[in-house]
Amino acid sequence: MKGVMIQGTASDVGKSLIVTALCRMFANEGKKVVPFKSQNMSNNSYVTRDGKEIGRAQGIQAEAAKIEATVWMNPILLKPRSNQDSEIVYLGKSLKTLSGRGYRETFYEKGLDVIKKSLDRLSNEFELVVIEGAGSPVEINLKDRELVNMKVAELADVPVVLVADIDRGGVFASIVGTLELLEPEERQRVAGVIINKFRGDISLFEDGIDWLEKKTGIPVIGVLPYVENHMIDGEDSLSIDNHFSTRKKGTLDIAVIQLPFISNYSDLEPFLYEEDVSIRWVKHASDFGQPDAVIIPGTKSTMNDLKSIKDRKLDVLIQNHIENGGYIVGVCGGYQILGNEIIDEAGLDTGIPNRKEQGLGWIPATTIFYEEKETVRSAGVYHEHTGLSPDRKVEGFEIHLGKTILHKESCSFLLLENGNEEGYYGRNGQIIGTYLHHLFHNDDWRNTWLNLIRKRKGLHTKETTCIKEYKDKRYDDIAARMKEHLNVELLNDIIIKWCQK
């Protein structure tokens, strides 16, 4: 197989961004390139065109590679449901929920099999495979049954480039320590090192590069700069706290309730493109302030996160916010939380069949959790009763357990192409609930909603910001920036020579 694997000395060192940039760089060179990650652990997911669920990062990497995302790019997705258990999404479909121990003891052979099948399929369809690892390849307690790093490099038989994050400190120890802990045959597979997130004058690091190459015998093929506001959707939970930290303060203040089991926080990223919008996380009651709008995002455990909102007394602050005319949107689990009641009929969310919980009570609806999971791309138009322009298309994707039933005489938000009504639209848009992830990626809707808030504040309305073109340009910009700081000739040489061995 012709390809390369990007592994890291730790989580959040920038593997996903580097793979994304490499996919666009190779695609721009005319190569038929495909991303791959054998096993992903993330609640930030992506729905393929055929309604399958994969990790968000691989969906983004496919976009960067200018190809359609498929389940073969990420055959195993682990979605944490608690501190102990994760939902296993296998080839895009929910399979079962297992503990970490249960997964390691019962799933290893099945995982190996689907990884082999995926690699074979991709190698037959594409010219070049760029593989992403996970965490560190030297987690000693996990190495004997790992499915994400050196075992995958062995199955694909590709060289490995090791990425280290200099911004967090200890870069020399992290590289040398990782190499020392690898088995001799694994270490021989490491053909290059990338130093990521460098700030300042690169000439001051030349002695460090020389030392590393002499110490390890492995070339440093690039020292990549720290990329601020790269606008590429995040994946790792480590990135959530700082995801909006570099965003300048705008005149519109949007507060996002940070949930312990938050999922698909990529729903929020379009606001980074709006110059007058400030978006921030709310962890505690003291963080709430006086926002113009509140968003309750998706969650992998609605009842646990509803309890978290109540325990932190955020329900009282949300009530005051709405009573004072503030806007609020609940997406997926946030939609369920805003309703009157949640019934866990199948015991899938809590483990207790028929458990009931009172929601925040702002949407007249009851949610019932059934066993069947809904995963689908959806599109529609604004419901006629909203008073919004009925000819504007809205599209996104749904990933949820359960069904939300509106009480009589409630106004739905959307009329879907399949004829179903979806979501809730109340108080002229002040309160909205929907299952549609990536709602705010629709430029027209995002601008319509923000203009409602601007008018309430006595501000001028604004023209629509088109983020799709800007985002595609960011792929090109990041790829060009990487190419500037990467020894591309050496990287290509590593890939070709390994393939010829």
Side-chain angles (χ1 to χ4, degrees):
M1 177 180 292
K2 187 178 179 182
V4 64
M5 186 169 192
I6 306 300
Q7 295 187 18
T9 57
S11 294
D12 204 37
V13 299
K15 297 185 292 293
S16 295
L17 180 62
I18 289 172
V19 171
T20 303
L22 286 175
C23 283
R24 177 50 63 98
M25 185 182 78
F26 287 129
N28 284 345
E29 292 175 356
K31 294 184 174 70
K32 195 176 180 184
V33 60
V34 62
F36 179 74
K37 186 166 185 176
S38 57
Q39 173 187 287
N40 219 330
M41 177 172 277
S42 177
N43 276 330
N44 215 28
S45 54
Y46 184 102
V47 173
T48 62
R49 188 168 297 278
D50 57 352
K52 305 291 179 63
E53 189 177 4
I54 63 173
R56 181 77 196 152
Q58 282 60 65
I60 291 298
Q61 289 158 4
E63 291 178 5
K66 304 180 182 180
I67 57 176
E68 190 69 39
T70 72
V71 294
W72 304 106
M73 299 173 193
N74 175 218
I76 305 170
L77 173 62
L78 307 180
K79 304 188 73 176
R81 300 194 64 162
S82 69
N83 293 328
Q84 298 291 330
D85 301 330
S86 291
E87 177 191 6
I88 315 301
V89 179
Y90 177 82
L91 287 177
K93 289 293 185 181
S94 180
L95 187 64
K96 61 176 73 174
T97 296
L98 291 172
S99 66
R101 180 178 294 276
Y103 178 75
R104 279 173 54 79
E105 291 178 352
T106 66
F107 199 80
Y108 184 71
E109 297 300 330
K110 188 178 181 70
L112 276 181
D113 182 62
V114 77
I115 291 167
K116 291 175 184 176
K117 288 179 180 176
S118 298
L119 288 169
D120 286 345
R121 182 157 181 154
L122 294 179
S123 65
N124 288 329
E125 293 180 6
F126 294 91
E127 176 185 355
L128 180 66
V129 182
V130 182
I131 304 173
E132 180 182 342
S136 159
V138 289
E139 301 294 350
I140 303 304
N141 59 316
L142 302 175
K143 275 195 70 177
D144 62 325
R145 296 177 75 80
E146 66 96 357
L147 293 168
V148 290
N149 287 308
M150 282 299 176
K151 186 62 180 178
V152 176
E154 176 190 332
L155 291 173
D157 194 15
V158 293
V160 169
V161 173
L162 186 66
V163 179
D165 177 0
I166 196 171
D167 192 55
R168 65 175 63 188
V171 70
F172 299 104
S174 67
I175 293 170
V176 175
T178 298
L179 293 171
E180 286 295 321
L181 289 172
L182 289 171
E183 298 297 327
E185 63 274 16
E186 294 173 335
R187 195 181 190 281
Q188 291 173 9
R189 195 175 287 278
V190 180
V193 171
I194 291 176
I195 309 296
N196 195 28
K197 304 183 186 180
F198 186 85
R199 302 175 190 259
D201 185 352
I202 185 63
S203 66
L204 300 177
F205 192 63
E206 289 176 355
D207 290 346
I209 294 173
D210 291 340
W211 184 90
L212 272 173
E213 292 183 334
K214 289 175 183 176
K215 176 70 176 177
T216 66
I218 299 171
V220 175
I221 63 175
V223 179
L224 306 182
Y226 193 101
V227 181
E228 301 276 8
N229 282 335
H230 55 72
M231 304 292 193
I232 305 301
D233 296 4
E235 174 189 46
D236 291 334
S237 60
L238 288 176
S239 69
I240 294 179
D241 287 340
N242 298 319
H243 203 63
F244 302 122
S245 61
T246 58
R247 178 64 176 159
K248 65 179 177 58
K249 192 170 183 178
T251 53
L252 297 186
D253 178 22
I254 299 178
V256 182
I257 306 300
Q258 186 157 351
L259 306 174
F261 298 101
I262 186 173
S263 68
N264 289 93
Y265 63 87
S266 59
D267 289 339
L268 310 168
E269 289 173 329
F271 293 112
L272 296 174
Y273 298 87
E274 299 288 349
E275 292 184 356
D276 65 336
V277 172
S278 174
I279 186 163
R280 58 186 175 85
W281 297 108
V282 172
K283 293 184 181 179
H284 310 290
S286 58
D287 302 329
F288 195 85
Q290 294 182 313
D292 298 305
V294 172
I295 295 175
I296 306 179
T299 165
K300 201 68 187 67
S301 183
T302 301
M303 286 189 166
N304 282 325
D305 281 345
L306 172 59
K307 183 178 184 299
S308 171
I309 287 174
K310 292 177 178 178
D311 288 346
R312 290 178 285 170
K313 310 299 181 186
L314 292 172
D315 55 331
V316 177
L317 295 174
I318 290 170
Q319 175 179 332
N320 292 338
H321 168 77
I322 296 173
E323 288 177 346
N324 289 325
Y327 284 75
I328 190 163
V329 175
V331 179
C332 199
Y335 174 27
Q336 296 168 345
I337 285 170
L338 284 172
N340 288 343
E341 186 179 38
I342 303 170
I343 303 171
D344 191 4
E345 183 177 281
L348 293 173
D349 192 41
T350 62
I352 305 172
N354 295 313
R355 179 175 172 180
K356 298 180 180 181
E357 187 74 33
Q358 295 300 308
L360 301 188
W362 288 102
I363 292 179
T366 299
T367 296
I368 303 174
F369 290 143
Y370 303 107
E371 290 191 10
E372 189 67 26
K373 183 178 181 179
E374 184 78 18
T375 306
V376 64
R377 284 197 182 185
S378 296
V381 295
Y382 305 127
H383 196 282
E384 61 179 347
H385 293 153
T386 63
L388 301 172
S389 178
D391 60 342
R392 299 300 177 91
K393 187 175 182 178
V394 179
E395 54 188 2
F397 59 91
E398 300 179 44
I399 307 174
H400 58 91
L401 287 168
K403 183 177 181 180
T404 297
I405 304 167
L406 291 181
H407 298 179
K408 290 182 178 180
E409 299 181 1
S410 296
C411 178
S412 297
F413 177 36
L414 301 172
L415 180 63
L416 300 181
E417 289 177 343
N418 61 12
N420 292 336
E421 296 183 353
E422 199 283 324
Y424 172 80
Y425 190 89
R427 299 191 182 186
N428 294 317
Q430 184 193 354
I431 303 172
I432 293 172
T434 180
Y435 277 118
L436 208 66
H437 288 292
H438 280 202
L439 170 68
F440 292 110
H441 286 245
N442 291 274
D443 295 330
D444 179 75
W445 161 250
R446 187 182 65 258
N447 192 61
T448 295
W449 186 67
L450 289 175
N451 277 338
L452 289 174
I453 301 169
R454 291 177 181 122
K455 287 178 182 178
R456 179 177 178 267
K457 289 195 73 172
L459 302 172
H460 292 295
T461 59
K462 290 184 175 291
E463 295 296 320
T464 302
T465 300
C466 181
I467 67 169
K468 185 176 181 180
E469 294 176 3
Y470 186 85
K471 190 172 183 178
D472 196 66
K473 185 176 182 298
R474 288 297 290 165
Y475 291 141
D476 285 332
D477 290 345
I478 291 168
R481 197 168 183 185
M482 173 176 285
K483 197 169 184 178
E484 180 184 348
H485 296 276
L486 193 69
N487 189 334
V488 179
E489 184 178 349
L490 177 56
L491 177 61
N492 282 321
D493 192 49
I494 288 170
I495 294 170
I496 292 169
K497 284 185 177 179
W498 192 279
C499 192
Q500 292 173 344
K501 289 175 70 174

mmCIF file of all heavy atoms in Angstrom, residues 229-256:
data_model
loop_
_atom_site.group_PDB
_atom_site.id
_atom_site.type_symbol
_atom_site.label_atom_id
_atom_site.label_comp_id
_atom_site.label_asym_id
_atom_site.label_seq_id
_atom_site.Cartn_x
_atom_site.Cartn_y
_atom_site.Cartn_z
ATOM 1 N N ASN A 229 -6.792 30.025 14.993
ATOM 2 C CA ASN A 229 -8.099 30.069 14.321
ATOM 3 C C ASN A 229 -8.066 29.391 12.965
ATOM 4 O O ASN A 229 -8.467 29.963 11.948
ATOM 5 C CB ASN A 229 -8.563 31.518 14.144
ATOM 6 C CG ASN A 229 -9.130 32.091 15.429
ATOM 7 O OD1 ASN A 229 -9.598 31.368 16.293
ATOM 8 N ND2 ASN A 229 -9.069 33.402 15.547
ATOM 9 N N HIS A 230 -7.602 28.134 12.935
ATOM 10 C CA HIS A 230 -7.495 27.459 11.648
ATOM 11 C C HIS A 230 -8.853 27.099 11.054
ATOM 12 O O HIS A 230 -8.953 26.773 9.880
ATOM 13 C CB HIS A 230 -6.623 26.212 11.757
ATOM 14 C CG HIS A 230 -7.057 25.237 12.809
ATOM 15 N ND1 HIS A 230 -8.187 24.461 12.693
ATOM 16 C CD2 HIS A 230 -6.495 24.910 13.997
ATOM 17 C CE1 HIS A 230 -8.306 23.693 13.759
ATOM 18 N NE2 HIS A 230 -7.301 23.940 14.565
ATOM 19 N N MET A 231 -9.922 27.150 11.862
ATOM 20 C CA MET A 231 -11.295 26.976 11.383
ATOM 21 C C MET A 231 -11.605 25.569 10.901
ATOM 22 O O MET A 231 -12.649 25.338 10.288
ATOM 23 C CB MET A 231 -11.633 27.960 10.248
ATOM 24 C CG MET A 231 -11.425 29.407 10.601
ATOM 25 S SD MET A 231 -12.578 30.011 11.838
ATOM 26 C CE MET A 231 -12.308 31.778 11.727
ATOM 27 N N ILE A 232 -10.715 24.616 11.165
ATOM 28 C CA ILE A 232 -10.979 23.234 10.800
ATOM 29 C C ILE A 232 -11.619 22.552 11.991
ATOM 30 O O ILE A 232 -11.084 22.604 13.108
ATOM 31 C CB ILE A 232 -9.685 22.501 10.389
ATOM 32 C CG1 ILE A 232 -8.979 23.282 9.271
ATOM 33 C CG2 ILE A 232 -9.995 21.082 9.951
ATOM 34 C CD1 ILE A 232 -9.804 23.479 8.020
ATOM 35 N N ASP A 233 -12.755 21.895 11.782
ATOM 36 C CA ASP A 233 -13.535 21.337 12.879
ATOM 37 C C ASP A 233 -12.693 20.487 13.798
ATOM 38 O O ASP A 233 -11.858 19.693 13.368
ATOM 39 C CB ASP A 233 -14.673 20.462 12.339
ATOM 40 C CG ASP A 233 -15.666 21.268 11.531
ATOM 41 O OD1 ASP A 233 -15.429 22.458 11.327
ATOM 42 O OD2 ASP A 233 -16.684 20.700 11.110
ATOM 43 N N GLY A 234 -12.940 20.624 15.103
ATOM 44 C CA GLY A 234 -12.190 19.878 16.092
ATOM 45 C C GLY A 234 -12.694 18.460 16.273
ATOM 46 O O GLY A 234 -13.742 18.073 15.806
ATOM 47 N N GLU A 235 -11.875 17.657 16.989
ATOM 48 C CA GLU A 235 -12.249 16.279 17.258
ATOM 49 C C GLU A 235 -12.019 15.929 18.715
ATOM 50 O O GLU A 235 -12.915 15.517 19.416
ATOM 51 C CB GLU A 235 -11.430 15.327 16.379
ATOM 52 C CG GLU A 235 -11.680 13.864 16.716
ATOM 53 C CD GLU A 235 -10.708 12.956 16.008
ATOM 54 O OE1 GLU A 235 -9.509 13.239 16.008
ATOM 55 O OE2 GLU A 235 -11.159 11.934 15.465
ATOM 56 N N ASP A 236 -10.784 16.084 19.193
ATOM 57 C CA ASP A 236 -10.436 15.628 20.529
ATOM 58 C C ASP A 236 -11.143 16.447 21.591
ATOM 59 O O ASP A 236 -11.276 17.659 21.496
ATOM 60 C CB ASP A 236 -8.923 15.744 20.768
ATOM 61 C CG ASP A 236 -8.149 14.745 19.928
ATOM 62 O OD1 ASP A 236 -8.714 13.704 19.571
ATOM 63 O OD2 ASP A 236 -6.985 15.028 19.654
ATOM 64 N N SER A 237 -11.565 15.773 22.674
ATOM 65 C CA SER A 237 -12.220 16.465 23.777
ATOM 66 C C SER A 237 -11.275 17.461 24.430
ATOM 67 O O SER A 237 -11.713 18.440 25.033
ATOM 68 C CB SER A 237 -12.706 15.445 24.821
ATOM 69 O OG SER A 237 -11.624 14.691 25.334
ATOM 70 N N LEU A 238 -9.952 17.245 24.312
ATOM 71 C CA LEU A 238 -8.994 18.170 24.897
ATOM 72 C C LEU A 238 -9.085 19.556 24.270
ATOM 73 O O LEU A 238 -8.686 20.537 24.873
ATOM 74 C CB LEU A 238 -7.568 17.634 24.722
ATOM 75 C CG LEU A 238 -7.167 16.435 25.577
ATOM 76 C CD1 LEU A 238 -5.758 15.987 25.192
ATOM 77 C CD2 LEU A 238 -7.227 16.757 27.053
ATOM 78 N N SER A 239 -9.592 19.638 23.058
ATOM 79 C CA SER A 239 -9.630 20.929 22.359
ATOM 80 C C SER A 239 -10.867 21.750 22.696
ATOM 81 O O SER A 239 -10.947 22.919 22.346
ATOM 82 C CB SER A 239 -9.570 20.706 20.850
ATOM 83 O OG SER A 239 -10.771 20.107 20.403
ATOM 84 N N ILE A 240 -11.845 21.174 23.401
ATOM 85 C CA ILE A 240 -13.109 21.863 23.608
ATOM 86 C C ILE A 240 -12.930 23.139 24.425
ATOM 87 O O ILE A 240 -13.421 24.207 24.072
ATOM 88 C CB ILE A 240 -14.132 20.940 24.297
ATOM 89 C CG1 ILE A 240 -14.509 19.783 23.373
ATOM 90 C CG2 ILE A 240 -15.379 21.715 24.695
ATOM 91 C CD1 ILE A 240 -15.494 18.811 23.979
ATOM 92 N N ASP A 241 -12.215 23.056 25.558
ATOM 93 C CA ASP A 241 -12.109 24.193 26.461
ATOM 94 C C ASP A 241 -11.514 25.420 25.783
ATOM 95 O O ASP A 241 -11.882 26.555 26.072
ATOM 96 C CB ASP A 241 -11.264 23.825 27.683
ATOM 97 C CG ASP A 241 -11.992 22.894 28.637
ATOM 98 O OD1 ASP A 241 -13.235 22.843 28.559
ATOM 99 O OD2 ASP A 241 -11.342 22.227 29.455
ATOM 100 N N ASN A 242 -10.567 25.192 24.868
ATOM 101 C CA ASN A 242 -9.865 26.308 24.245
ATOM 102 C C ASN A 242 -10.352 26.608 22.838
ATOM 103 O O ASN A 242 -9.777 27.450 22.156
ATOM 104 C CB ASN A 242 -8.362 26.001 24.200
ATOM 105 C CG ASN A 242 -7.778 25.829 25.582
ATOM 106 O OD1 ASN A 242 -8.118 26.568 26.501
ATOM 107 N ND2 ASN A 242 -6.903 24.848 25.753
ATOM 108 N N HIS A 243 -11.411 25.924 22.413
ATOM 109 C CA HIS A 243 -11.810 26.018 21.010
ATOM 110 C C HIS A 243 -12.163 27.438 20.593
ATOM 111 O O HIS A 243 -11.884 27.858 19.482
ATOM 112 C CB HIS A 243 -12.983 25.084 20.751
ATOM 113 C CG HIS A 243 -13.108 24.692 19.318
ATOM 114 N ND1 HIS A 243 -12.147 23.975 18.644
ATOM 115 C CD2 HIS A 243 -14.074 24.946 18.413
ATOM 116 C CE1 HIS A 243 -12.527 23.778 17.406
ATOM 117 N NE2 HIS A 243 -13.682 24.358 17.227
ATOM 118 N N PHE A 244 -12.784 28.192 21.494
ATOM 119 C CA PHE A 244 -13.185 29.558 21.156
ATOM 120 C C PHE A 244 -12.372 30.603 21.913
ATOM 121 O O PHE A 244 -12.721 31.773 21.911
ATOM 122 C CB PHE A 244 -14.671 29.760 21.475
ATOM 123 C CG PHE A 244 -15.575 28.796 20.766
ATOM 124 C CD1 PHE A 244 -16.425 27.970 21.479
ATOM 125 C CD2 PHE A 244 -15.569 28.690 19.398
ATOM 126 C CE1 PHE A 244 -17.256 27.062 20.827
ATOM 127 C CE2 PHE A 244 -16.391 27.791 18.738
ATOM 128 C CZ PHE A 244 -17.234 26.979 19.460
ATOM 129 N N SER A 245 -11.280 30.171 22.563
ATOM 130 C CA SER A 245 -10.554 31.068 23.466
ATOM 131 C C SER A 245 -9.858 32.219 22.744
ATOM 132 O O SER A 245 -9.648 33.278 23.329
ATOM 133 C CB SER A 245 -9.526 30.287 24.286
ATOM 134 O OG SER A 245 -8.570 29.683 23.436
ATOM 135 N N THR A 246 -9.482 32.012 21.490
ATOM 136 C CA THR A 246 -8.774 33.063 20.766
ATOM 137 C C THR A 246 -9.720 33.978 19.998
ATOM 138 O O THR A 246 -9.281 34.895 19.317
ATOM 139 C CB THR A 246 -7.759 32.453 19.774
ATOM 140 O OG1 THR A 246 -8.462 31.601 18.862
ATOM 141 C CG2 THR A 246 -6.703 31.650 20.511
ATOM 142 N N ARG A 247 -11.016 33.734 20.121
ATOM 143 C CA ARG A 247 -12.002 34.529 19.389
ATOM 144 C C ARG A 247 -12.154 35.906 20.023
ATOM 145 O O ARG A 247 -12.328 36.034 21.234
ATOM 146 C CB ARG A 247 -13.348 33.792 19.403
ATOM 147 C CG ARG A 247 -14.491 34.533 18.721
ATOM 148 C CD ARG A 247 -14.247 34.715 17.240
ATOM 149 N NE ARG A 247 -15.382 35.343 16.602
ATOM 150 C CZ ARG A 247 -15.320 35.977 15.446
ATOM 151 N NH1 ARG A 247 -14.183 36.059 14.804
ATOM 152 N NH2 ARG A 247 -16.383 36.519 14.913
ATOM 153 N N LYS A 248 -12.054 36.946 19.202
ATOM 154 C CA LYS A 248 -12.216 38.295 19.727
ATOM 155 C C LYS A 248 -13.660 38.542 20.164
ATOM 156 O O LYS A 248 -14.580 37.880 19.713
ATOM 157 C CB LYS A 248 -11.816 39.319 18.667
ATOM 158 C CG LYS A 248 -12.725 39.318 17.442
ATOM 159 C CD LYS A 248 -12.295 40.360 16.443
ATOM 160 C CE LYS A 248 -13.148 40.329 15.187
ATOM 161 N NZ LYS A 248 -14.565 40.534 15.430
ATOM 162 N N LYS A 249 -13.833 39.518 21.036
ATOM 163 C CA LYS A 249 -15.159 39.819 21.560
ATOM 164 C C LYS A 249 -15.953 40.622 20.544
ATOM 165 O O LYS A 249 -15.486 41.600 19.980
ATOM 166 C CB LYS A 249 -15.036 40.601 22.867
ATOM 167 C CG LYS A 249 -16.334 40.706 23.631
ATOM 168 C CD LYS A 249 -16.112 41.259 25.018
ATOM 169 C CE LYS A 249 -17.421 41.291 25.791
ATOM 170 N NZ LYS A 249 -17.232 41.790 27.164
ATOM 171 N N GLY A 250 -17.209 40.170 20.298
ATOM 172 C CA GLY A 250 -18.082 40.867 19.367
ATOM 173 C C GLY A 250 -19.239 41.532 20.087
ATOM 174 O O GLY A 250 -19.405 41.407 21.303
ATOM 175 N N THR A 251 -20.069 42.227 19.318
ATOM 176 C CA THR A 251 -21.194 42.943 19.926
ATOM 177 C C THR A 251 -22.342 42.007 20.290
ATOM 178 O O THR A 251 -23.169 42.338 21.139
ATOM 179 C CB THR A 251 -21.709 44.030 18.963
ATOM 180 O OG1 THR A 251 -21.991 43.429 17.692
ATOM 181 C CG2 THR A 251 -20.676 45.118 18.785
ATOM 182 N N LEU A 252 -22.420 40.834 19.630
ATOM 183 C CA LEU A 252 -23.427 39.834 19.982
ATOM 184 C C LEU A 252 -22.778 38.763 20.858
ATOM 185 O O LEU A 252 -21.765 38.177 20.470
ATOM 186 C CB LEU A 252 -24.025 39.185 18.735
ATOM 187 C CG LEU A 252 -24.797 40.077 17.765
ATOM 188 C CD1 LEU A 252 -25.437 39.223 16.673
ATOM 189 C CD2 LEU A 252 -25.848 40.901 18.478
ATOM 190 N N ASP A 253 -23.363 38.514 22.000
ATOM 191 C CA ASP A 253 -22.805 37.577 22.968
ATOM 192 C C ASP A 253 -23.639 36.294 22.986
ATOM 193 O O ASP A 253 -24.798 36.312 23.401
ATOM 194 C CB ASP A 253 -22.789 38.224 24.356
ATOM 195 C CG ASP A 253 -22.258 37.303 25.430
ATOM 196 O OD1 ASP A 253 -21.531 36.346 25.089
ATOM 197 O OD2 ASP A 253 -22.566 37.541 26.618
ATOM 198 N N ILE A 254 -23.045 35.190 22.516
ATOM 199 C CA ILE A 254 -23.726 33.898 22.526
ATOM 200 C C ILE A 254 -23.066 32.986 23.545
ATOM 201 O O ILE A 254 -21.865 32.738 23.494
ATOM 202 C CB ILE A 254 -23.683 33.226 21.138
ATOM 203 C CG1 ILE A 254 -24.395 34.113 20.104
ATOM 204 C CG2 ILE A 254 -24.325 31.843 21.184
ATOM 205 C CD1 ILE A 254 -24.359 33.552 18.698
ATOM 206 N N ALA A 255 -23.854 32.511 24.483
ATOM 207 C CA ALA A 255 -23.365 31.620 25.531
ATOM 208 C C ALA A 255 -23.773 30.185 25.205
ATOM 209 O O ALA A 255 -24.942 29.924 24.910
ATOM 210 C CB ALA A 255 -23.938 32.038 26.887
ATOM 211 N N VAL A 256 -22.824 29.281 25.249
ATOM 212 C CA VAL A 256 -23.078 27.870 24.970
ATOM 213 C C VAL A 256 -22.918 27.083 26.258
ATOM 214 O O VAL A 256 -21.874 27.152 26.911
ATOM 215 C CB VAL A 256 -22.104 27.327 23.909
ATOM 216 C CG1 VAL A 256 -22.421 25.870 23.602
ATOM 217 C CG2 VAL A 256 -22.162 28.176 22.645
#
